[in-house]
Amino acid sequence: MDATLPVQMVLGALLGLSVYLPLATGQLSLATPGFYVIGGYVAALLSTGVAALGGGEPSYPLPSLLLEMGLAALLAAAVAVVIGRPVLKLRGIYLAIATIALVEILRVLNLNLPFTGGAVGIFAIPQPFADPWGYLLLSALLLAAVCWLCARLGAMRLGRAQAAVRDDELAAACMGIDTAQVKLTAFVISAVIAALTGVISAHFLNTWNARQGSFDASITTLAFVVFGGSRTWVGPVLGGLVLTALPELLRPVGDLRLIVYGLVILAGPVVFPQGVITPERLQHWARHRPWRRPSPRAGA
Amino acid sequence: MSTLPAPALLRAEGVGCRFGGVRALSNVNLAVGEGEIFGLIGPNGAGKTTLFNVISGLTRASEGRVLWRGGSLEGLGPERISRCGIARTFQNLRLFDNLSVLDNVRVGMHRVAGAPLAGALLASPAFRRRQAEVQDQAMELLELFDLAALAPQRAADLAYGDRRRLEMARALATGPSLLLLDEPAAGMNPAEKDDLCARIARIRERFALTVLIIEHHVPLMMRLCDRLAVLNFGERIALGSPEEVRHDPRVIEAYLGGRPAGQDP
Ligand SMILES: Nc1ncnc2c1ncn2[C@@H]1O[C@H](COP(=O)(O)OP(=O)(O)OP(=O)(O)O)[C@@H](O)[C@H]1O
Ligand SMILES: [Mg+2]
């Protein structure tokens, strides 16, 4: 069985979570593709440009890959801190527009910088894994780690502060919460997740160019969260998995597939205004366990 | 013109606040002593809430300054002022509606609820013990306000009176020495108002609080407060014990309509 689609789905879920974290703090940031592209270029440039990392070997060494992920995370975090401080003062739609501008600036830079390969980009990125299963394992591990983080946030002070800022930033400040710091923290974590996803993606795709991070990508990743739901982390995961798979699964439909895809994205918020997954729905399922068959004695 | 500064916990010195052409406050002077219940009364639009906003760092004073234990609060944002030990409630309730009643109070405990990151991520026993402690303290506060039974409910789903009490519990959770209450009895029936009065006196004892309270219900304020200040059109027109304020001719004029409401001052 080919694991290509599952890998893409898991990467989609990761990007969904990257959009979700600032949103859980009330910040509509669409910067995720920007940091995703940064991560991808770190991987592409290092693995093709630095011979010591072992790009010439038949299989790219795993430690080199992990080193790339570490560096990409650091770079993304640094950029997020520098940009986040001024940009996160904006609210609502203004923040969204500023972050879209950021993504566009990065795209144009990447098209024109001397070392990013112009419109063609960078290709022949070495492969750490012989087949997609290796990528699936790595990306699934990353997804599990990020899900764990999101789940823990619910029990942590930071998670509660995020929810408070989302509900009423001013009242949160009056509770002694440094709201700027909380927003920045969420933004940085979001950037790191996107960059790590970019590293995996660059190797997986074998080639990397400026088109990976565009306005389209901002909207697509936002759709993951709108479709899945933004009130619990489970929503963006589901949204990322489903909406990434859908165009591929619809291939047999031919040209109609984009229309069907668009209709699904449109129907999602109409039928489920808060997204498919909400905390209430999760609680309901946990209580009633509809996936379990009624026990033999239940009817007696 | 006093030369010796009285030992005041909070002191407003010539505080003025303008919004465009509106003078919400002008040259307001007052000092609140440690342990006092200090009342702030005045007609609608007199600037009472604006004074609270200036004290809590939500609005910047255009003139004058606010001193806290002798140090200036100038330029401090609301989170810094909260950390100084000043907590407030809001006239038009600002609860975290999507959070549970318990979490509203736990958010109030933000400053004390910190824990090492690694323990939190791994759900270590030490972290869980700490969380249990925080939860116990929060529940204790909720019990004090008769809200313990509602702890798991969404704050938005509470009845009005419960929401008012929850806001007080949340403010107390920040561990303040000064509590600013903006019309805590608004919309309550007489029995609830009595209950609230008793509750404020009780929490003052229990937490060694100083209370600054805005309320339109004058009889209640006369009963509850040690001292009162009266604002009218942004000016402090009277200050003193309830008895003194009650007989002040300017207060009587302000309340009995010397100037029709809405007239330009
Ligand atoms: N942010 C603001 N922008 C412009 N004007 C404001 C602002 N806040 C208050 N004001 C004005 O300042 C004046 C004082 O308002 P404030 O809310 O302090 O009155 P108040 O004494 O609390 O009245 P009430 O008893 O009705 O609550 C009013 O005229 C009000 O319209
Ligand atoms: Mg008011």
Side-chain angles (χ1 to χ4, degrees), chain B residues 44-50 91 182-183 214 216:
Chain B
N44 289 114
K48 305 178 297 292
T49 298
T50 305
Q91 181 171 355
D182 197 344
E183 303 199 15
I214 298 174
H216 281 293

mmCIF file of all heavy atoms in Angstrom, chain B residues 44-50 91 182-183 214 216, ligand 2:
data_model
loop_
_atom_site.group_PDB
_atom_site.id
_atom_site.type_symbol
_atom_site.label_atom_id
_atom_site.label_comp_id
_atom_site.label_asym_id
_atom_site.label_seq_id
_atom_site.Cartn_x
_atom_site.Cartn_y
_atom_site.Cartn_z
ATOM 1 N N ASN B 44 -25.426 59.382 37.091
ATOM 2 C CA ASN B 44 -24.945 58.723 35.880
ATOM 3 C C ASN B 44 -24.010 59.646 35.112
ATOM 4 O O ASN B 44 -24.251 60.845 35.005
ATOM 5 C CB ASN B 44 -26.106 58.345 34.960
ATOM 6 C CG ASN B 44 -26.907 57.202 35.539
ATOM 7 O OD1 ASN B 44 -28.059 57.356 35.900
ATOM 8 N ND2 ASN B 44 -26.288 56.061 35.653
ATOM 9 N N GLY B 45 -22.932 59.069 34.617
ATOM 10 C CA GLY B 45 -21.997 59.848 33.812
ATOM 11 C C GLY B 45 -21.096 60.754 34.629
ATOM 12 O O GLY B 45 -20.407 61.611 34.089
ATOM 13 N N ALA B 46 -21.077 60.562 35.952
ATOM 14 C CA ALA B 46 -20.290 61.447 36.814
ATOM 15 C C ALA B 46 -18.792 61.166 36.716
ATOM 16 O O ALA B 46 -17.978 61.978 37.126
ATOM 17 C CB ALA B 46 -20.748 61.301 38.259
ATOM 18 N N GLY B 47 -18.425 59.996 36.187
ATOM 19 C CA GLY B 47 -17.005 59.674 36.045
ATOM 20 C C GLY B 47 -16.513 58.600 37.005
ATOM 21 O O GLY B 47 -15.315 58.372 37.110
ATOM 22 N N LYS B 48 -17.441 57.923 37.661
ATOM 23 C CA LYS B 48 -17.047 56.929 38.658
ATOM 24 C C LYS B 48 -16.284 55.770 38.019
ATOM 25 O O LYS B 48 -15.192 55.406 38.461
ATOM 26 C CB LYS B 48 -18.299 56.398 39.381
ATOM 27 C CG LYS B 48 -19.150 57.503 40.002
ATOM 28 C CD LYS B 48 -20.405 56.958 40.673
ATOM 29 C CE LYS B 48 -21.375 56.261 39.758
ATOM 30 N NZ LYS B 48 -22.047 57.154 38.781
ATOM 31 N N THR B 49 -16.882 55.211 36.958
ATOM 32 C CA THR B 49 -16.224 54.089 36.284
ATOM 33 C C THR B 49 -14.903 54.535 35.668
ATOM 34 O O THR B 49 -13.914 53.791 35.679
ATOM 35 C CB THR B 49 -17.144 53.501 35.200
ATOM 36 O OG1 THR B 49 -18.328 53.011 35.833
ATOM 37 C CG2 THR B 49 -16.475 52.375 34.449
ATOM 38 N N THR B 50 -14.879 55.756 35.161
ATOM 39 C CA THR B 50 -13.639 56.258 34.574
ATOM 40 C C THR B 50 -12.529 56.291 35.628
ATOM 41 O O THR B 50 -11.380 55.931 35.338
ATOM 42 C CB THR B 50 -13.859 57.659 33.984
ATOM 43 O OG1 THR B 50 -14.932 57.598 33.054
ATOM 44 C CG2 THR B 50 -12.616 58.152 33.281
ATOM 45 N N GLN B 91 -18.673 47.005 35.735
ATOM 46 C CA GLN B 91 -20.079 47.410 35.819
ATOM 47 C C GLN B 91 -20.941 46.522 34.923
ATOM 48 O O GLN B 91 -21.984 46.046 35.332
ATOM 49 C CB GLN B 91 -20.201 48.875 35.380
ATOM 50 C CG GLN B 91 -21.609 49.417 35.458
ATOM 51 C CD GLN B 91 -21.611 50.926 35.211
ATOM 52 O OE1 GLN B 91 -20.574 51.555 35.076
ATOM 53 N NE2 GLN B 91 -22.783 51.495 35.159
ATOM 54 N N ASP B 182 -17.483 47.750 40.977
ATOM 55 C CA ASP B 182 -18.256 48.708 40.195
ATOM 56 C C ASP B 182 -19.712 48.262 40.123
ATOM 57 O O ASP B 182 -20.052 47.352 39.369
ATOM 58 C CB ASP B 182 -17.651 48.847 38.787
ATOM 59 C CG ASP B 182 -18.144 50.106 38.074
ATOM 60 O OD1 ASP B 182 -19.149 50.693 38.530
ATOM 61 O OD2 ASP B 182 -17.526 50.495 37.069
ATOM 62 N N GLU B 183 -20.530 48.868 40.914
ATOM 63 C CA GLU B 183 -21.965 48.571 41.000
ATOM 64 C C GLU B 183 -22.262 47.080 41.169
ATOM 65 O O GLU B 183 -22.960 46.490 40.360
ATOM 66 C CB GLU B 183 -22.693 49.129 39.760
ATOM 67 C CG GLU B 183 -22.446 50.622 39.625
ATOM 68 C CD GLU B 183 -23.457 51.339 38.732
ATOM 69 O OE1 GLU B 183 -24.508 50.733 38.446
ATOM 70 O OE2 GLU B 183 -23.199 52.489 38.353
ATOM 71 N N ILE B 214 -18.421 51.396 44.048
ATOM 72 C CA ILE B 214 -19.348 52.305 43.372
ATOM 73 C C ILE B 214 -20.730 51.688 43.491
ATOM 74 O O ILE B 214 -20.891 50.489 43.264
ATOM 75 C CB ILE B 214 -19.020 52.435 41.871
ATOM 76 C CG1 ILE B 214 -17.636 53.029 41.662
ATOM 77 C CG2 ILE B 214 -20.083 53.268 41.162
ATOM 78 C CD1 ILE B 214 -17.208 53.048 40.202
ATOM 79 N N HIS B 216 -25.160 52.892 43.219
ATOM 80 C CA HIS B 216 -26.167 53.947 43.154
ATOM 81 C C HIS B 216 -27.124 53.936 44.334
ATOM 82 O O HIS B 216 -27.742 54.926 44.650
ATOM 83 C CB HIS B 216 -26.979 53.822 41.861
ATOM 84 C CG HIS B 216 -26.264 54.379 40.672
ATOM 85 N ND1 HIS B 216 -26.002 55.715 40.540
ATOM 86 C CD2 HIS B 216 -25.722 53.785 39.586
ATOM 87 C CE1 HIS B 216 -25.347 55.922 39.408
ATOM 88 N NE2 HIS B 216 -25.157 54.768 38.817
HETATM 89 MG MG MG C 2 -20.170 53.483 35.740
#
